[in-house]
Structures are given as structure tokens and as C-alpha cells.
Amino acid sequence: MGDNQQDKMSRRALPVAAAQEKVISFCGKLTSEFVSLSEAKGRVLAETVKAPHPYPHFRRSGMDGYAIISSDTAGCSAQTPVHLEVIDEIPCGSLPSVALVPGTAARIMTGAKVPDEADAVVMFEMTEATDGESGYYVKLKREIAAGANITPVGLELAEGDVILEAGQIISAGEISVLATFGISEVAVIRKPRVAVMATGSELLAVDEPLQDGRIRNSNTYMLESQIRDAGAEPIILNVIADDLSTARSRVLEAIEEYDLVISTGGVSVGDFDIMADLVLGDEMEMLFNKVMMRPGSVTTAAVRLGKLLFALSGNPGACFVGFELFVRPAIARMMGIEQPFLKEVEAILAADYPKINAYTRFVRGRIAVEGARLRAYPAALDESSVMITIKDSNALLVIPPTTEGVQAGELIKVLLLPGVAG
Amino acid sequence: MGDNQQDKMSRRALPVAAAQEKVISFCGKLTSEFVSLSEAKGRVLAETVKAPHPYPHFRRSGMDGYAIISSDTAGCSAQTPVHLEVIDEIPCGSLPSVALVPGTAARIMTGAKVPDEADAVVMFEMTEATDGESGYYVKLKREIAAGANITPVGLELAEGDVILEAGQIISAGEISVLATFGISEVAVIRKPRVAVMATGSELLAVDEPLQDGRIRNSNTYMLESQIRDAGAEPIILNVIADDLSTARSRVLEAIEEYDLVISTGGVSVGDFDIMADLVLGDEMEMLFNKVMMRPGSVTTAAVRLGKLLFALSGNPGACFVGFELFVRPAIARMMGIEQPFLKEVEAILAADYPKINAYTRFVRGRIAVEGARLRAYPAALDESSVMITIKDSNALLVIPPTTEGVQAGELIKVLLLPGVAG
């Protein structure tokens, strides 16, 4: 026990940013696949999409009214109105049925194609319909400028304009734009397959009866949800009891099979830390086994076959933070997202945070907007509520190393947690 | 055309809040169903969940170290150290194998059960192991207080404490908490089944070749994504061409079959507005057919059989806003969410918004945090980019009725769009 303990005690801690950098350097973009628009939500575009045609692709009426030849309204006023014969009626989706000539107009709906001969649309509410000798007339009482209420071809986008960039996450707006251009199937990065294995003979399955001295395996379910939220496909493997040779073979198999492997549990500085021993073996290249952060300082990452293994803490709070700081960005980068880290903003600390720490502390909490100012509330100040506060957080407050704590009112950095209802 | 046109022209506009209130008053909570924890992400808890046992449920060691009887350390110092015989070793998940007596200690791991006789745990790093005549000893150099590094039973939660409230959306944190308490199946509100039908003979299916004067049916796909994002199940029905009797029977069938029905298109003030006519018929109770808002003032809602029908604008921007202001809250309330509306915050308008309007305007845009101040950027000032800016927005800027526009630097209300990557 002595020597091994010594090795683990002498872990060299990396700053968080350096550890993140190391992880990201091993994340290659995965291959792509085609999905239908209905399945595209939440996926990441594999290729930049350009407009296959101009938009709008025909001269579009911006109003319900009458398509006219604007020169017919020269000198028109309330005193000297102009009457145009209505010779066509153009609903949306229909084409003009007859060519306009001077002195005529076409009733037209919003969004319908303007006849080629017309150069203006006059709003319905500005007109009066009158019955004349030979048909139905529209009475105009002012001059109409050429171009009025007509959206020209390509006003929004020309053919070939970029409409969406590779690496974009697809949500409702992107789907609307893709559908507008008739793109019914879209190339997206395939979902990373992420395996989760818990280690620790203290773990009970969630549906097992409670036993004295043992706790339920909650991290696996939490990670499953976080993995799905990050856009990847979770695969839950069996719990590994505290046995180094079993753990070694199970981990090596998982690395062969999946794109990324996470273990949870077994990284405290104790006698039964399987994963810590494993990453020190010959099969893997260890990237780091200690990070200058709380919680989760013993977060470990290693590489084999170009694939990442993360050993996250068994403590639920530390496991959650380790996932958000390291695993989520790795998944994001594998999906081709350029900026893969949690979004960082500044906020005003809303309550004193008296704890001192030599490492940066990532404190779960809530952000709230009050009079356009962002305020950050730590979820709890004492370790005791570690488990229950996971559910109440929408942000990680970044408390820098401090020997005196941080006062309410100070500006701090905050990492926003995606996928959590605000 | 005249009379009908007249009816539609005389729609009485409701304020947005009054229209939302009407909608919500018709939204009853749906029935519940059980799902496994793995399927629970994004669902809404149907019942309040109480802790079935205290947490922790056994006296837990907070450190790797030695469980001791604290009175053994009375008078202990570096000069007068105490040696305790280590008679047990307790990994996580194991139970003590022997009772401690004064003068003895048990090696214990973080998270393991503390022996009943012990009342403190001393941190491993504060000790030295020594070999003695009759076995293995631990050397202590200071007094240890009773209770040190032991988490008592029920410190975080007592049995029966509320752990999650009904109406809570389930994400990773909630799943972690449920798993901790062995709740492997959870009662959630069933997903509302929401049907979407587009109206308009101008609409091409997304995979049809482009035709002159016609546009693709993009709103259906956009709504499908918005519905899914709201937590409901979208069902896409066929496009209804502009024919009142077909539309009537199709809408009535859909209302029988689904929990909520959305139509899009056909609500501009024109001759071909099917849904507007339909809600004025005897089959439905119209809630409103005009709202004091831009875009989407002709947003219409009606009720039949206690179920809501929404007729949203065919304009993509107006359709999007109509969904977010009215349909998403309806879905949320049907799922039992207490506060169903988009989250409203204040932000500083980051650019002049010179447009005047008699109605409140909901402008798509982006919010950004700069030095803990929330700033709101309108996506575009001109109507021309209505289609393409849908994809660039994470918020709706609320521009009140104004005859002069709103200046950069003014404080405005902003509605945050959920489910859009920040």
C-alpha cells in the first residue's frame, strides 16, 4: 500500500484551462451521416449549407391589395382618383392568368407572385372597389411609387449565399431555414457513443433494496442524462467492483468499442482506487490525474487508441462538475462545435462566499437577472447539501483561489449550464 | 366577399397578457404515466416526491483515515502522541467486522460506514502508521473532537422530507437525486399530443421541386421542433388546401383525436383565410382572433371539447412568436408546470430600435452578458430578413407601443427562448 499510496499522493495538479486544452487536443471530429429534418433537432451540421436558390425566388407581394402599373397613378389624388379595371385575382401559390396592361390591376394576396407587368402593389385598405359598366374596378386616391410593397427576387438571400455554417447546432430556427430551401435531409455529425461504468463495490443498483453501509449508483443515471443533453448517445455498462484486473479488461474493451469512456467512483485518495492505478499502467497515456479545482481535484483523463477515458469522482457534485468542465467539451468538439466549453459570463456574487481554497472552486448555484444585472447565488455554502443542490443549479460560480473568501457584490465569472430549465 | 371581409376587419384585438390568460384557463393538467429514470429527462414530475429514507442513511465517513473513539485522544499532542491499534479495515460498501474498544481504531475509506463505537474519523494525512509488537498501529499527534469527519444519519434529508415538487422539469440533477433514493420509476405527466396542419394551396412539401409562385412548407417543420422542445409529441397532418369544408372536417377530426391542434397559414386579412372563418362558425368557441402584438396580430385561438385550436400566421416569424407566446405556455400548463410562460428579464437595448408601432412588438434578437449587464441586440431592423433571422435568435425583445422608437441604452423587457443554444 505504501508505494502506491505515495504515487497517488504526489499527483501533479494541472490548472483547469491546461487540462481542458489537453483533452480537446485529442478530440477529432467524427464522421457524418444524413438525417431527415424531423430528426435534425439538437444535431450538429457537418457541412456549411448554401442557398440553392434566391429567396424569395419570385417577386412577392408584401400586402393584400392590388398589383398595378405605378405610372397609371401619375397625378392621382383624392380629388382626381384613378379607376383601374380588375382583370385578375391571384391567391397565394397561383400564377397570374392574364398579362396586365395600362389601366388594369390584379387583386393579389400577401405572399402571391406579382404579375411581371406590375411594378407596385397598393394596400387593400387604401382602395375602394367599385362596379363599372364592363366589370369590377378599384379606385385609387394617391400616387403609388414604383416598387411599393413588392419584395424583389433574392432580397433576403442570393443563390449561393451561406445560410448555415458547419458546426451549428440545429434548433427550430435552423430547421425553418433548411425547410424553406427544400433541404429535407441534412448532413450531421454522428452522435458520439459514450460508455459509462461505475466502479465501487459499495454501489447498489437503483432498484435494489437499501443495504447498510452501501449507497445507490446515482452517478450513472446523472451521467446518462448529461451525455444525452450534450448530444451524444449514452451506453451504460455494468458496475465494476473494486478489482483491478477486472476493471482493466472492462475498460480496455470499452475503449475499443465506444468513442469515449467515463468511469465514476474510485478516484478518491484511498486504498481502493482502481481507475487511478489503471491509468498509471502501460496501456494508457495519462493526460492528468489531478486538476487545480474543487470539487473534483482528482479528476483523471487518459488516452488509448486516440480515445479518451475520463475517471470522474464518485462524489455526485464532483462527478457533475467534472463532466461539465471536461467531458461535455470533449463531446462537443467531437461533434465539430468550434467553441465547446460552457459559456462564461460575468455576474455579481449575491451572497458572501466565505470559504477559503487554494484551488479554483466551481460552486453550483443559480443566476438571476435583476434590473439587467446578472446576479449569482451560490446554492449552498456547506458540504452537507452536496447531493440535493445538484438539482437546484443552473450555473457554476467560479470562485478563484482565495485566503479570505469572496464578498457579496464582487464580480465573478460564471459558467452557464446548458440544458437546465432557467 | 364584402361582409365576411368586414367581419374580419373588425376583429377586436386583445392585449397579449389577456390573450395568454384566456388560453391558460383552458389548459388542464393531463394524466400521468410511469417512466424509467433513463427516460425521465425533460419530463415533468406528476407528484411531489418525498425521501423514502434519511440521507445519508448510515453514519458516513467524510475522509479517508481512521475511525476512532475520540476520548482516546485526550491530552494527545506531538510531544505525547497516542498509538491506537488498527483492528479493522472498512472499504466503502463494507460493514465493520469487529467492535472497536478503547485503544483501537479502524482504517476507513471516504463514504464508508463508521463503526457504531467510533465517534470521530481522523484524516489519513494527519497520521503515521507504525508497526507494533502485536500488529499495526496508527500514531496520532493531536486531540480529535467528537463528531469530526462523520456525517450523521439524515444530515442532508430526513425521511419524509420533500425532495422534488410536482411540476418540476426533470434534468440531470433531479435524476441524480431520484436515483440516490432508489426511485427507479417516476410518475410524469404524459406528453401532450399536438397536431400541426398547414393551410394554403401555395405550400410545397419540403422535398418537392421548386415551383414559380409557390413556397415550401417550412413552418410545419419549425413547429415540429418547437413542440418537441416544449416537451410534447408532434403529429404532422397533411397540408389543407384552401377549401373551407375540407378544412372544417379535418380540424374537427384533429381536435377529437389530439390534445391540442395548431394550424399555420391562412390568417392574414385576405380572401383565402380558412381558419379565420372556421373559428367564427358554430363548432367552436373563439377565444380571440386578434392580439395587440407584432408580428402575429392575427393569431387566433378557439376551444372545442375543452381542447385548444391555435391558428398561427403563415409568416415564419409570426408563426414562431405565436407559438412561443401562446402554444408553448399551453403545453407547459397541460404538463402541470406552474409558471408556463417564457422567462422574462430586463436588459439594456444595445442598438436603437427606430420602428414605431401601436402594438407591442416582439423582436427576435440575442442577449449577451457584458460585465454582468444584460444587453439585448435586435436581430434585424427591417422586415426583409424575417426568414433568415429566426435562426440567430435566443430571445424576444419586447418593444412597447411607441411613436418614436426606443433608444439604445434604454431598459426593456426580454423573453428568453428556451432550447436555443446560447
Side-chain angles (χ1 to χ4, degrees):
Chain A
M1 155 169 85
D3 277 2
N4 188 21
Q5 188 67 48
Q6 206 48 47
D7 285 350
K8 284 189 269 180
M9 296 295 287
S10 64
R11 297 163 185 249
R12 192 172 66 86
L14 276 189
V16 172
Q20 288 180 320
E21 207 58 48
K22 278 207 174 193
V23 163
I24 289 298
S25 71
F26 285 94
C27 297
K29 192 160 91 171
L30 300 181
T31 54
S32 63
E33 63 188 7
F34 278 89
V35 295
S36 75
L37 266 194
S38 291
E39 302 165 309
K41 179 172 142 49
R43 304 298 295 268
V44 178
L45 269 181
E47 289 163 19
T48 292
V49 180
K50 295 181 178 182
H53 57 72
Y55 188 84
H57 67 94
F58 54 86
R59 290 200 313 152
R60 190 177 66 189
S61 175
M63 287 285 168
D64 278 333
Y66 295 90
I68 64 167
I69 297 165
S70 63
S71 57
D72 280 348
T73 68
C76 175
S77 70
Q79 287 69 45
T80 57
V82 165
H83 294 78
L84 300 175
E85 185 179 3
V86 181
I87 61 169
D88 201 359
E89 184 166 301
I90 314 169
C92 277
S94 294
L95 295 179
S97 60
V98 53
L100 293 190
V101 294
T104 65
R107 181 80 176 92
I108 192 166
M109 302 305 134
T110 304
K113 177 177 170 151
V114 175
D116 291 342
E117 305 79 21
D119 66 351
V121 169
V122 55
M123 198 178 172
F124 184 83
E125 288 80 353
M126 287 171 57
T127 66
E128 281 172 38
T130 58
D131 286 325
E133 300 146 24
S134 61
Y136 150 48
Y137 284 78
V138 58
K139 177 179 168 188
L140 307 183
K141 291 183 278 188
R142 65 166 81 159
E143 291 192 356
I144 304 296
N149 298 319
I150 295 179
T151 306
V153 170
L155 179 73
E156 292 203 34
L157 285 172
E159 183 176 333
D161 280 355
V162 168
I163 53 178
L164 294 170
E165 301 272 3
Q168 172 70 47
I169 299 170
I170 299 171
S171 59
E174 288 74 25
I175 287 172
S176 169
V177 171
L178 291 166
T180 297
F181 286 98
I183 298 164
S184 58
E185 290 211 313
V186 62
V188 297
I189 304 294
R190 73 172 174 81
K191 291 189 178 194
R193 301 181 71 222
V194 177
V196 177
M197 41 176 60
T199 64
S201 47
E202 78 274 25
L203 296 179
L204 290 168
V206 68
D207 52 0
E208 278 186 272
L210 203 57
Q211 292 178 25
D212 197 16
R214 301 182 68 185
I215 59 169
R216 292 205 181 79
N217 173 19
S218 60
N219 285 353
T220 294
Y221 286 89
M222 180 178 74
L223 287 168
E224 180 183 32
S225 176
Q226 289 176 290
I227 290 165
R228 203 169 274 146
D229 187 65
E233 181 193 342
I235 296 99
I236 307 305
L237 304 180
N238 290 333
V239 171
I240 302 178
D242 288 320
D243 170 271
L244 183 57
S245 74
T246 312
R248 170 173 281 127
S249 63
R250 298 269 288 282
V251 167
L252 297 182
E253 277 168 36
I255 288 177
E256 292 268 354
E257 175 118 7
Y258 304 104
D259 297 308
L260 191 153
V261 178
I262 307 174
S263 78
T264 172
V267 287
S268 70
V269 183
D271 290 0
F272 296 84
D273 299 341
I274 296 294
M275 300 307 296
D277 291 341
L278 186 51
V279 297
L280 293 174
D282 292 338
E283 294 95 344
M284 303 204 189
E285 175 187 354
M286 193 193 70
L287 301 183
F288 50 84
N289 63 1
K290 191 164 188 182
V291 184
M292 297 167 85
M293 62 188 262
R294 299 268 181 228
S297 64
V298 290
T299 298
T300 293
V303 171
R304 177 182 162 88
L305 307 173
K307 294 177 183 174
L308 287 163
L309 165 73
F310 290 95
L312 303 181
S313 171
N315 173 291
C319 180
F320 184 88
V321 168
F323 182 92
E324 295 297 331
L325 293 186
F326 300 107
V327 188
R328 183 189 286 275
I331 290 171
R333 184 52 71 83
M334 289 163 87
M335 297 197 301
I337 294 174
E338 188 59 35
Q339 203 295 71
F341 299 109
L342 294 182
K343 190 172 177 181
E344 181 183 300
V345 300
E346 284 183 311
I348 299 158
L349 185 62
D352 287 345
Y353 193 82
K355 268 192 183 174
I356 62 169
N357 33 229
Y359 287 164
T360 302
R361 194 176 275 274
F362 295 86
V363 177
R364 290 190 304 278
R366 295 199 74 79
I367 49 162
V369 182
E370 295 163 16
R373 307 281 283 182
L374 209 61
R375 289 164 66 83
Y377 294 81
L381 293 178
D382 59 305
E383 298 291 344
S384 66
S385 34
V386 157
M387 182 273 298
I388 196 78
T389 60
I390 288 185
K391 72 176 177 57
D392 296 321
S393 307
N394 63 13
L396 295 175
L397 285 50
V398 184
I399 306 288
T402 169
T403 54
E404 315 178 317
V406 183
Q407 303 297 310
E410 287 189 36
L411 213 56
I412 59 166
K413 288 180 182 170
V414 170
L415 304 177
L416 305 182
L417 293 173
V420 177
Chain B
M1 153 168 89
D3 275 2
N4 188 21
Q5 189 67 48
Q6 207 49 46
D7 284 350
K8 284 188 271 181
M9 296 294 287
S10 65
R11 297 163 185 249
R12 189 172 68 85
L14 275 190
V16 172
Q20 288 180 320
E21 209 57 48
K22 278 206 174 195
V23 163
I24 289 298
S25 71
F26 285 94
C27 297
K29 191 160 91 169
L30 300 182
T31 54
S32 62
E33 63 188 7
F34 278 89
V35 296
S36 74
L37 265 194
S38 291
E39 302 165 310
K41 180 173 142 49
R43 305 297 295 270
V44 178
L45 269 182
E47 290 163 19
T48 292
V49 179
K50 295 182 178 179
H53 57 71
Y55 188 85
H57 67 95
F58 54 86
R59 290 201 312 151
R60 192 176 64 189
S61 175
M63 286 285 168
D64 278 332
Y66 295 89
I68 63 167
I69 297 166
S70 64
S71 57
D72 280 347
T73 67
C76 174
S77 71
Q79 286 69 43
T80 57
V82 166
H83 294 79
L84 301 175
E85 185 179 3
V86 181
I87 62 169
D88 201 1
E89 184 165 299
I90 312 167
C92 278
S94 294
L95 295 179
S97 60
V98 53
L100 292 190
V101 293
T104 65
R107 180 81 176 92
I108 192 166
M109 302 303 133
T110 303
K113 176 176 169 154
V114 175
D116 292 341
E117 305 79 20
D119 66 351
V121 169
V122 56
M123 196 178 174
F124 184 82
E125 288 82 353
M126 288 171 57
T127 66
E128 280 173 40
T130 58
D131 287 323
E133 301 146 27
S134 60
Y136 149 50
Y137 284 77
V138 59
K139 176 179 167 187
L140 307 182
K141 289 183 279 188
R142 66 167 77 160
E143 291 194 359
I144 305 295
N149 298 317
I150 295 179
T151 306
V153 170
L155 179 73
E156 292 202 34
L157 285 172
E159 183 175 333
D161 280 355
V162 168
I163 53 177
L164 296 169
E165 301 273 3
Q168 171 70 47
I169 299 169
I170 299 171
S171 59
E174 287 75 23
I175 287 173
S176 169
V177 171
L178 291 166
T180 297
F181 285 98
I183 298 163
S184 58
E185 290 212 311
V186 62
V188 298
I189 304 294
R190 73 172 174 83
K191 291 188 178 196
R193 300 181 71 222
V194 177
V196 178
M197 41 176 58
T199 64
S201 47
E202 77 275 23
L203 295 180
L204 291 168
V206 67
D207 52 0
E208 278 186 273
L210 206 57
Q211 291 178 27
D212 198 15
R214 300 182 70 185
I215 59 169
R216 292 205 181 80
N217 173 20
S218 60
N219 285 354
T220 294
Y221 286 88
M222 180 178 73
L223 287 168
E224 180 184 32
S225 175
Q226 288 176 290
I227 291 165
R228 202 166 277 148
D229 189 65
E233 181 193 343
I235 296 99
I236 307 306
L237 304 179
N238 290 334
V239 171
I240 302 177
D242 288 322
D243 169 273
L244 186 56
S245 73
T246 311
R248 170 173 280 126
S249 63
R250 297 268 288 282
V251 167
L252 296 183
E253 278 168 34
I255 287 175
E256 292 269 353
E257 175 119 6
Y258 304 103
D259 298 308
L260 190 154
V261 178
I262 308 173
S263 78
T264 171
V267 287
S268 70
V269 182
D271 289 2
F272 297 83
D273 297 341
I274 297 294
M275 300 307 298
D277 291 342
L278 186 51
V279 297
L280 293 173
D282 292 338
E283 294 96 342
M284 302 205 191
E285 176 188 350
M286 194 192 69
L287 302 183
F288 51 83
N289 62 2
K290 192 166 187 180
V291 184
M292 296 168 85
M293 62 186 261
R294 300 267 181 227
S297 64
V298 291
T299 298
T300 292
V303 171
R304 176 181 164 86
L305 308 174
K307 294 177 184 175
L308 288 162
L309 167 73
F310 291 95
L312 303 181
S313 170
N315 173 290
C319 180
F320 184 89
V321 169
F323 181 92
E324 296 296 331
L325 293 186
F326 300 106
V327 188
R328 183 189 287 274
I331 290 172
R333 184 53 70 87
M334 290 162 87
M335 297 196 303
I337 294 173
E338 189 59 35
Q339 202 296 70
F341 300 109
L342 294 182
K343 189 172 177 181
E344 182 183 299
V345 299
E346 285 183 309
I348 299 158
L349 186 61
D352 287 346
Y353 192 83
K355 268 191 182 174
I356 62 170
N357 32 228
Y359 286 163
T360 301
R361 195 176 275 274
F362 295 86
V363 178
R364 289 191 303 279
R366 296 198 73 79
I367 49 161
V369 182
E370 297 163 15
R373 306 281 284 181
L374 208 61
R375 291 165 65 83
Y377 294 82
L381 293 177
D382 60 305
E383 298 290 346
S384 65
S385 35
V386 158
M387 180 274 297
I388 196 78
T389 60
I390 289 184
K391 71 176 176 59
D392 296 321
S393 307
N394 62 13
L396 295 174
L397 284 50
V398 184
I399 306 288
T402 170
T403 55
E404 314 178 319
V406 182
Q407 303 298 309
E410 287 188 36
L411 213 55
I412 60 167
K413 288 181 181 169
V414 170
L415 303 177
L416 305 183
L417 294 173
V420 177

